[in-house]
Amino acid sequence: MDKKFKYSIAIHGGAGAIPKTVPEKDKKEYIYALKDILQYGKELLEKRHTALDTVELVVNKFEDCPLFNAGKGAVFNSEGRNELNAAIMDGRDRSCGAVTCVTRIKNPISLARIVMEKSPHILLCGDGAEKFAKQHGMKFVRNSYFFTQKRYDQWLKMKEKDITALDHSSDLTNSAKGTVGCVARDIYGDLAAATSTGGMTNKKYGRIGDTPIIGSGTYADNETCAVSCTGTGEEFMRTVAGHEIHSLIKYKKMNIKEALDHFTVKILKPDTGGLIAVDKYGDHAYSFNSKGMYRGSADSEGFFEVRIWE
Amino acid sequence: MDKKFKYSIAIHGGAGAIPKTVPEKDKKEYIYALKDILQYGKELLEKRHTALDTVELVVNKFEDCPLFNAGKGAVFNSEGRNELNAAIMDGRDRSCGAVTCVTRIKNPISLARIVMEKSPHILLCGDGAEKFAKQHGMKFVRNSYFFTQKRYDQWLKMKEKDITALDHSSDLTNSAKGTVGCVARDIYGDLAAATSTGGMTNKKYGRIGDTPIIGSGTYADNETCAVSCTGTGEEFMRTVAGHEIHSLIKYKKMNIKEALDHFTVKILKPDTGGLIAVDKYGDHAYSFNSKGMYRGSADSEGFFEVRIWE
């Protein structure tokens, strides 16, 4: 098949110390959800949707699924609320949009896209972002919409011990979850990336992680690649992960797999998490240095895979 | 002099369409302030202070000076309040801290440093950041402390016309001002960067610019350079400016002047602003593609310069 018409997609649903002892039932549930979401994204690309539309719609599906830490199913902050973050980037012209600390937007990634398309700004925060959302007719929900019993119990236990944790690295729960993301290359050869998250359980002080930071948790440039990260956000911020992958490909002439492996082995602190990427040739890759990463990838050449551990 | 003991410093006080017709009195005032701050920073390095301490103390001086858009003298947002942002980064281990949307902290850059040193997080926002500040004994002021008549009049005029602008690119005022920043290389060979700003006049929607974004407005890595940006923040975010300079030096083997010029000419959108940097050899450079940039640089070899236009 002509490279120009090759499409590919990669998704992730979080990374961390996912224990292999997770009950078979839970494991199946995650594998099923990942397969379903990956198939949905693959079909969008097959039906000639753009990479940008695809990553938004795929992340919408993740946000609506209570299994993952984004949208419905997001973790609770130290005040018992769900605070959401998201970013989207269009590789065609590096236009991008992001939101942080929003609490009443059903699909934060779609608000990020509207910020990208309808505002001169890139990153909007809290009440201001919601005011902007209202003016643009976004769907609002009560904060209680994001409630799930599992996340709430998780939070109560964390709060009791006054610890902050990634939603999935807590020993208090066997069901591992995390930030979600999608990267895609469409049949037109364009790239896009999207990431959405509820952050860390019991997080304090209005902490903003890597997800809404362009260049860190999310990055896309047609010249090189589209990237989405998951794990301990601070490490992806310090290393400017997304843009580092871009630089390794652009300036060090690494291929995408080499760039991702170099990054997780040589640059990223051990046990931090992982990332997914697609490049301008339609090649896709993932790499992680945590115990596991919920992930999947597929392309027009028939590849289709969903995994949690190695 | 042994390269190891060479120290150097660069500062900026904003970039934009600074008109050459600015009254002589105002021009002198800015030149005097820049010289004074640069001399202060140079002496700190001479007295064997670390780059990290130096950039913090120099930015404190900028924040306390009502001429510049940071700390006292910050611009007003659309609700008539002053919202402050700052970031600091230590090139020794890439540790970093940043705050956004704080309204009652006298010296935001010092809060950013405490975030770096006392919290597991990098970026704290709004009330959460101030709660953290209180726990760490930071100096609070009323929001009215940041008030200056000039900024207020500027805001009233902008509000009337419902426009948002960089504080210095407005035709409504002849006195140009902007984001402030400092980068330094100390006698130990270590690098650091710090940036602080009040954002854009009449800005809405909780917009966060490039200043508190590690990798965009602020970046430092002993292996390459320390960078601080000023101008239209969104363009520095989209291009991940600080980390791009780092990559051009690390992977394209450009020297610091080549990297900065390549960036402002080939990558950055015209009329965006500029940046300052020092590298691991103690060389310093600036580059900008706006009409002017308040800036200065000095080093242990006797160089000392302050400029506004070419």
Side-chain angles (χ1 to χ4, degrees), chain B residues 108-123:
Chain B
I109 198 68
S110 297
L111 176 55
R113 180 158 179 187
I114 294 176
V115 170
M116 174 176 107
E117 292 178 346
K118 309 274 187 197
S119 101
H121 303 313
I122 289 176
L123 177 54

Side-chain angles (χ1 to χ4, degrees), chain A residues 267-289:
Chain A
I267 299 178
L268 200 62
K269 210 171 104 180
D271 287 321
T272 291
L275 59 177
I276 55 170
V278 295
D279 70 9
K280 61 176 174 177
Y281 306 111
D283 291 329
H284 45 88
Y286 55 75
S287 194
F288 57 100
N289 67 13

Side-chain angles (χ1 to χ4, degrees), chain B residues 165-231:
Chain B
L166 290 179
D167 56 332
H168 36 61
S169 59
S170 159
D171 287 337
L172 300 168
T173 169
N174 283 325
S175 56
K177 313 107 191 170
T179 296
V180 308
C182 179
V183 293
R185 192 244 195 207
D186 61 31
I187 58 161
Y188 316 104
D190 295 323
L191 308 180
T195 317
S196 182
T197 190
M200 298 166 96
T201 302
N202 205 28
K203 75 170 173 145
K204 289 176 190 171
Y205 307 127
R207 173 253 187 192
I208 300 174
D210 65 312
T211 297
I213 308 296
I214 297 301
S216 292
T218 309
Y219 197 71
D221 185 338
N222 269 7
E223 217 188 315
T224 55
C225 60
V227 182
S228 174
C229 303
T230 174

Side-chain angles (χ1 to χ4, degrees), chain B residues 25-42:
Chain B
K25 188 188 132 285
D26 288 0
K27 202 174 93 183
K28 272 194 184 149
E29 202 173 25
Y30 278 96
I31 291 286
Y32 180 83
L34 286 169
K35 276 188 181 164
D36 184 46
I37 293 172
L38 183 62
Q39 182 63 32
Y40 171 67
K42 190 189 164 174

Side-chain angles (χ1 to χ4, degrees), chain B residues 1-299:
Chain B
M1 183 187 262
D2 191 325
K3 277 274 185 196
K4 199 185 153 196
F5 301 110
K6 179 170 177 178
Y7 62 79
S8 57
I9 181 170
I11 60 171
H12 68 73
I18 307 168
K20 286 204 179 177
T21 51
V22 59
E24 199 60 27
K25 188 188 132 285
D26 288 0
K27 202 174 93 183
K28 272 194 184 149
E29 202 173 25
Y30 278 96
I31 291 286
Y32 180 83
L34 286 169
K35 276 188 181 164
D36 184 46
I37 293 172
L38 183 62
Q39 182 63 32
Y40 171 67
K42 190 189 164 174
E43 281 171 16
L44 287 170
L45 291 169
E46 206 172 289
K47 288 176 190 156
R48 306 180 157 265
H49 283 274
T50 63
L52 188 65
D53 285 344
T54 301
V55 298
E56 181 191 352
L57 290 166
V58 164
V59 169
N60 281 164
K61 240 186 169 341
F62 269 121
E63 286 172 338
D64 294 345
C65 175
L67 293 174
F68 302 97
N69 177 20
K72 176 131 188 103
V75 299
F76 289 83
N77 71 6
S78 65
E79 279 142 33
R81 278 162 71 87
N82 307 98
E83 251 180 28
L84 310 166
N85 307 276
I88 193 165
M89 189 159 185
D90 183 346
R92 287 175 292 192
D93 58 358
R94 296 198 286 198
S95 58
C96 42
V99 292
T100 184
C101 305
V102 296
T103 58
R104 296 181 299 147
I105 305 296
K106 181 169 178 283
N107 290 109
I109 198 68
S110 297
L111 176 55
R113 180 158 179 187
I114 294 176
V115 170
M116 174 176 107
E117 292 178 346
K118 309 274 187 197
S119 101
H121 303 313
I122 289 176
L123 177 54
L124 301 185
C125 174
D127 293 344
E130 295 188 350
K131 195 171 156 191
F132 176 82
K134 191 162 271 173
Q135 288 174 3
H136 289 84
M138 280 293 299
K139 180 154 185 170
F140 275 67
V141 290
R142 283 168 190 244
N143 194 253
S144 60
Y145 161 81
F146 302 109
F147 179 91
T148 56
Q149 192 64 46
K150 243 184 189 174
R151 297 292 193 200
Y152 189 73
D153 294 345
Q154 204 178 350
W155 171 65
L156 281 181
K157 283 180 191 164
M158 303 277 293
K159 198 176 160 64
E160 228 162 74
K161 303 201 172 188
D162 193 26
I163 45 175
T164 307
L166 290 179
D167 56 332
H168 36 61
S169 59
S170 159
D171 287 337
L172 300 168
T173 169
N174 283 325
S175 56
K177 313 107 191 170
T179 296
V180 308
C182 179
V183 293
R185 192 244 195 207
D186 61 31
I187 58 161
Y188 316 104
D190 295 323
L191 308 180
T195 317
S196 182
T197 190
M200 298 166 96
T201 302
N202 205 28
K203 75 170 173 145
K204 289 176 190 171
Y205 307 127
R207 173 253 187 192
I208 300 174
D210 65 312
T211 297
I213 308 296
I214 297 301
S216 292
T218 309
Y219 197 71
D221 185 338
N222 269 7
E223 217 188 315
T224 55
C225 60
V227 182
S228 174
C229 303
T230 174
T232 307
E234 278 70 13
E235 295 307 317
F236 294 107
M237 294 165 85
R238 194 187 318 288
T239 55
V240 199
H243 193 266
E244 179 67 38
I245 300 298
H246 159 84
S247 298
L248 290 171
I249 294 173
K250 183 166 179 182
Y251 299 131
K252 288 288 278 183
K253 308 295 178 198
M254 289 187 187
N255 69 38
I256 194 161
K257 183 62 181 155
E258 287 166 350
L260 263 62
D261 287 344
H262 176 86
F263 180 75
T264 54
V265 173
K266 299 273 177 77
I267 299 178
L268 200 62
K269 211 171 105 180
D271 287 321
T272 291
L275 58 176
I276 54 169
V278 295
D279 70 8
K280 61 176 174 176
Y281 307 111
D283 290 330
H284 44 88
Y286 56 76
S287 193
F288 58 99
N289 67 13
S290 49
K291 220 167 183 172
M293 173 159 85
Y294 291 116
R295 65 198 186 275
S297 52
D299 62 34

